[in-house]
Amino acid sequence: MPAPETETPAVPVDFWFDPVCPWAWMTSRWLLEVAGRRPLDIRWHIMSLAVLNEGREDLPERYRRLLTEGWAPVRLVVAARRKYGDEVTGRLYTALGTHIHRQGLGPAREALGKALREADLPADLLDQADTDTWDPDVRASHRDGIDRVGEEVGTPVIALPGPDATRTAFFGPVVTPAPRGEAATRLWDGLLLLASTPGFYELKRTRTQGPVFD
C-alpha cells in the first residue's frame, strides 16, 4: 500500500514594503505569482521611505514631497492591520498599489479611498491616514526590517529561510517587469539558494529600465 502523500509545508516569507515605492510593488507582484505556484506563508510588513530618509537635505524637491505624502498610506496600512488583523494587510496593499502605481494616482486621498473600498474596509478608516497616532507602529515595523539588512538599503526587504534554521534578509529582489510563470519560480529558487548560502551578502548592477506595470 503506497504511503499517504504529505503536504509540503509553506515557506515563511516576511516582506517589508512602502506603498509608494514602485519597486516594492513590482517585487510583491512577483512574490504573489510564486505563491500561486508554490506554498508560501507571506507576512506583510510596513517600512517607510520617509523614515529612512529623515534628515537628508540632498534629496530632490519632488522626492521630498513624495516622502511627505507617503506618510498617509503607511499610517493607513498600520491602522488597518491593528484594527482588523494581519490578514487585511496584503489585500489593502494590493488595492493601494493598483491605484497608486498602475493607475498613476500617487498617494492621493482618492487612491487611498478607492483602495479601502476594494479591500472591503470601512471608508472612515481614511481618517487614520491624517493622524500621527500610528507613527510609533510605523517606525517599529520599519526598524524591524532595517535591522535585518542594515542602513544602506531601501524597500523592499525580504526575509527567507537561511542556513541552519536561521532567517536571511535581503534588499530586493529588484525586477521589472514582475516575472511570471516558470520565470517567477526560477527566481524564487535562486533566491532561496542564495539565502541558504552562509556568508552571501550582495549582487547588484545599475538599473537601466524603470518599473513596467504589466
Side-chain angles (χ1 to χ4, degrees), residues 9 20 36 45 60 85 93 114 126 129 142 178 192 194 206:
V20 303
H45 309 277
Y93 180 33
K114 288 183 174 181
L126 185 58
H142 174 88
L192 280 180
L194 294 177
T206 300

Side-chain angles (χ1 to χ4, degrees), residues 65-77:
R65 186 170 65 251
L66 177 64
L67 297 182
T68 300
E69 294 170 349
W71 273 105
V74 295
R75 288 167 173 166
L76 185 65
V77 172

Side-chain angles (χ1 to χ4, degrees), residues 20-21 49-50 52-53 56 59-69 155:
V20 303
C21 177
L49 291 173
L52 185 69
N53 289 282
R56 289 189 58 184
L59 300 174
E61 174 60 29
R62 179 178 176 277
Y63 191 61
R64 287 202 302 270
R65 186 170 65 251
L66 177 64
L67 297 182
T68 300
E69 294 170 349
T155 174

Side-chain angles (χ1 to χ4, degrees), residues 8-179:
T8 303
V11 177
V13 186
D14 290 279
F15 188 84
W16 283 262
F17 66 94
D18 186 322
V20 303
C21 177
W23 297 105
W25 170 253
M26 302 298 296
T27 307
S28 71
R29 298 312 94 183
W30 158 74
L31 193 57
L32 288 174
E33 177 75 8
V34 176
R37 305 170 67 87
R38 301 282 180 84
L40 302 185
D41 176 20
I42 306 174
R43 286 85 66 100
W44 305 96
H45 309 277
I46 278 293
M47 65 183 301
S48 168
L49 291 173
V51 172
L52 185 69
N53 289 282
E54 277 182 328
R56 289 189 58 184
E57 302 295 336
D58 58 331
L59 300 174
E61 174 60 29
R62 179 178 176 277
Y63 191 61
R64 287 202 302 270
R65 186 170 65 251
L66 177 64
L67 297 182
T68 300
E69 294 170 349
W71 273 105
V74 295
R75 288 167 173 166
L76 185 65
V77 172
V78 167
R81 182 178 187 176
R82 286 290 296 271
K83 289 175 177 289
Y84 299 103
D86 292 349
E87 66 276 7
V88 307
T89 309
R91 188 168 79 239
L92 179 55
Y93 180 33
T94 289
L96 284 167
T98 297
H99 295 290
I100 291 173
H101 301 299
R102 295 195 65 173
Q103 294 190 0
L105 296 178
R109 291 186 70 86
E110 179 186 2
L112 274 56
K114 288 183 174 181
L116 286 174
R117 289 194 294 274
E118 288 188 12
D120 196 26
L121 290 167
D124 61 4
L125 196 60
L126 185 58
D127 295 338
Q128 304 301 313
D130 299 324
T131 175
D132 61 4
T133 301
W134 305 105
D135 290 7
D137 295 76
V138 171
R139 292 179 180 277
S141 181
H142 174 88
R143 175 49 54 189
D144 183 29
I146 286 295
D147 282 349
R148 298 167 189 250
V149 289
E151 300 286 347
E152 300 86 8
V153 303
T155 174
V157 168
I158 189 170
L160 310 162
D164 302 322
T166 62
R167 300 281 286 167
T168 299
F170 296 119
F171 163 61
V174 176
V175 291
T176 186

